[in-house]
Amino acid sequence: MEKFHTQSDRAEDVGRRKEPVSAYDVVVAGGGAAGVAAACAAAEAGARTLLIERSSTLGGAVTLRNVLTYCGLYTCRPDPQQIVAGIVDRVLAVLRRLGGVTDMITLAHDGNVIVVVDPEAVKYALDEVCAAAGVDVFLGADVTGIERRDDRIVCARVSDFGATTTSVATGALVDATGDASAAYLAGSSVVAGNGGRTQTSTMGIRFGGIDPAAKLTFATVGQAVRQAIAEGAEGLTSSTGLVIRLPVSGDVVAYLADQDVDATDGSAYSSATQAARAQGWRYLEVIRTIPGCAGAYLVSTGPELGVRESRHLKTKASVTDATLRSGAVPRDTVALAGWPSEFHPGAGAPSEWLQIGGAGAFGVTLDDLRSEDTPNLFGAGRVLGGDLRAGASVRVVGTAFATGQAAGVAAALCNQEGVSDLLTATQTELRRQGARLGLQHGQAHEARRQGLEAP
Ligand SMILES: Cc1cc2nc3c(=O)[nH]c(=O)nc-3n(C[C@H](O)[C@H](O)[C@H](O)COP(=O)(O)OP(=O)(O)OC[C@H]3O[C@@H](n4cnc5c(N)ncnc54)[C@H](O)[C@@H]3O)c2cc1C
């Protein structure tokens, strides 16, 4: 990677420099699933690409928020079909080599299909996949400003741990920050929540010291929480969150500590994070009442609060509930979404589900990713919005890999000489990279199904 700053840069205060110290074809803000897929796809499409992540690890919610299941890689049908492929296959290959991912699991309580990952393996796998794709990665670096010329983004300002601000010129930008903060800083149109509502946040809590034979499930944990509340326990917000056993460690992660918060309000976010962490200790007491769990301990709370949504990028089009209900795959599809709508209406309230129609997946189009007012800005992952129910489907990690890959390719190609039809060029390159843009009928499925039901 090019050296961003030197002693003389610091002396001159690069933050105030007029000329950027570095130039890229594509800058990707945010290194979660969407950002990693976008950066690798852009680089594979021939773009000089920089991935900027404010924490010290790639992975986003997976490595920072204990979100350890990849949803959306498969259709949630009795005969599941892999619908996200390409960059994610490179990640899964490294995870399998490290023993850091399960085979496909069908959840016992709702029939949905997931894989479970080990976060340490994810951190390393994403580093390896980005290096192999030729992506420059800048960790511990916060995108704190975006410069535009007329309607186009021309430069990202990045602040690092050393309190140095660097300017990076770019031809296109992918906002994969989860909270559309790059778009917000660029002055591009954003919107809060979907359909006027914002889902509740939850802190993922990881417990160790669990007997391998202990039955920790959605049902047994829910029952233990309800009993504790009936016996007078206070401060437990939910009894209906997912509970999942991890590969490698055998630890258990539970999504129970809910908080309703506007995550773009720093003060409210701080209080909610601390309140959710306090709940982690209360849930530990409950877990210890379950047979085989007397020696349970907290491995980690978060560390970040799990924010499901805050701001979204306003795009030229956006995913609709009608498309989800029908399972339509329009001809301008660049990614497939296969996770049912899972809307979390408020702290303690059970999730609201809506199944996808047709063959179990619907199409996300190029216009669903492209800013409505900034032609060289694309959104991916949790940044994307839409109708209430469809928006609560496309946000999951598996789909974020798909929308990220599509946004990265489109960003790489949108300034490329000779590209007059961005949609066709993007679809052609995505297919070359192994992405799925339609359901495969009658073909042998690639997914390896694991016999076990989720714990
Ligand atoms: C409690 C909870 C449970 C969930 N359960 C599941 C589940 O079981 N399975 C599933 O598939 N999905 C689940 N989800 C949804 C899933 O976690 C997210 O929607 C998904 O991680 C989105 O990926 P992303 O890459 O868009 O965003 P994120 O994973 O949020 O990544 C965004 C990244 O951008 C970085 N960033 C932010 N701002 C800046 C900036 N200004 N500069 C530089 N970097 C920045 C962040 O540090 C972060 O690394 C859950 C979410 C929550 C909150």
Side-chain angles (χ1 to χ4, degrees), residues 108-343:
H109 66 278
D110 59 13
N112 288 329
V113 181
I114 60 168
V115 297
V116 187
V117 295
D118 171 69
E120 282 307 319
V122 171
K123 287 179 194 169
Y124 176 75
L126 298 183
D127 285 346
E128 189 174 308
V129 167
C130 284
V135 173
D136 284 352
V137 177
F138 196 8
L139 295 175
D142 211 337
V143 174
T144 51
I146 301 283
E147 289 168 29
R148 54 195 299 154
R149 193 166 302 138
D150 303 323
D151 66 343
R152 295 177 71 81
I153 287 170
V154 292
C155 199
R157 276 198 302 278
V158 187
S159 301
D160 70 18
F161 282 145
T164 303
T165 301
T166 303
S167 292
V168 182
T170 189
L173 189 123
V174 177
D175 186 337
T177 60
D179 302 304
S181 45
Y184 178 76
L185 290 168
S188 305
S189 297
V190 294
V191 61
N194 285 322
R197 293 172 70 188
T198 304
Q199 297 184 67
T200 198
S201 298
T202 307
M203 186 172 274
I205 300 172
R206 178 170 167 178
F207 303 95
I210 311 280
D211 188 306
K215 260 195 103 45
L216 254 72
T217 65
F218 178 83
T220 60
V221 173
Q223 175 55 33
V225 173
R226 285 187 289 277
Q227 188 172 330
I229 292 171
E231 289 169 1
E234 290 181 351
L236 303 167
T237 42
S238 173
S239 62
T240 58
L242 182 66
V243 177
I244 203 86
R245 179 88 69 160
L246 302 186
V248 182
S249 63
D251 289 351
V252 165
V253 170
Y255 307 100
L256 296 160
D258 287 348
Q259 291 288 318
D260 288 321
V261 63
D262 172 4
T264 62
D265 174 341
S267 165
Y269 172 83
S270 301
S271 306
T273 300
Q274 289 173 322
R277 189 163 296 129
Q279 282 192 59
W281 289 94
R282 296 190 203 113
Y283 278 108
L284 175 63
E285 292 307 316
V286 177
I287 296 292
R288 284 179 174 157
T289 66
I290 298 173
C293 303
Y297 57 88
L298 279 182
V299 176
S300 67
T301 52
E304 293 183 0
L305 178 66
V307 175
R308 287 190 177 80
E309 69 177 331
S310 58
R311 273 186 303 249
H312 299 288
L313 175 67
K314 280 181 95 172
T315 40
K316 286 163 89 82
S318 54
V319 289
T320 67
D321 290 353
T323 310
L324 179 141
R325 282 196 169 90
S326 64
V329 181
R331 56 162 289 283
D332 49 348
T333 290
V334 292
L336 291 176
W339 189 249
S341 176
E342 179 190 343
F343 185 81

Side-chain angles (χ1 to χ4, degrees), residues 83-106:
I83 50 164
V84 181
I87 302 299
V88 77
D89 287 325
R90 322 226 207 310
V91 176
L92 291 171
V94 183
L95 290 176
R96 285 187 187 118
R97 199 183 76 222
L98 301 172
V101 60
T102 64
D103 282 346
M104 191 171 75
I105 291 173
T106 299

Side-chain angles (χ1 to χ4, degrees), residues 370-449:
R370 198 166 194 180
S371 161
E372 69 171 22
D373 52 24
T374 310
N376 63 342
L377 170 63
F378 298 83
R382 200 159 60 81
V383 159
L384 300 176
D387 286 356
L388 188 76
R389 305 292 160 188
S393 163
V394 293
R395 67 188 174 84
V396 295
V397 177
T399 314
F401 272 110
T403 57
Q405 185 168 357
V409 168
L413 299 182
C414 71
N415 296 315
Q416 217 173 71
E417 231 170 272
V419 173
S420 56
D421 176 352
L422 183 60
L423 171 63
T424 304
T426 300
Q427 289 177 323
T428 304
E429 173 61 15
L430 282 169
R431 286 194 188 96
R432 192 194 67 78
Q433 293 186 7
R436 302 259 159 86
L437 307 186
L439 287 146
Q440 297 173 316
H441 297 288
Q443 286 186 22
H445 299 162
E446 288 172 21
R448 284 181 300 148
R449 183 164 213 162

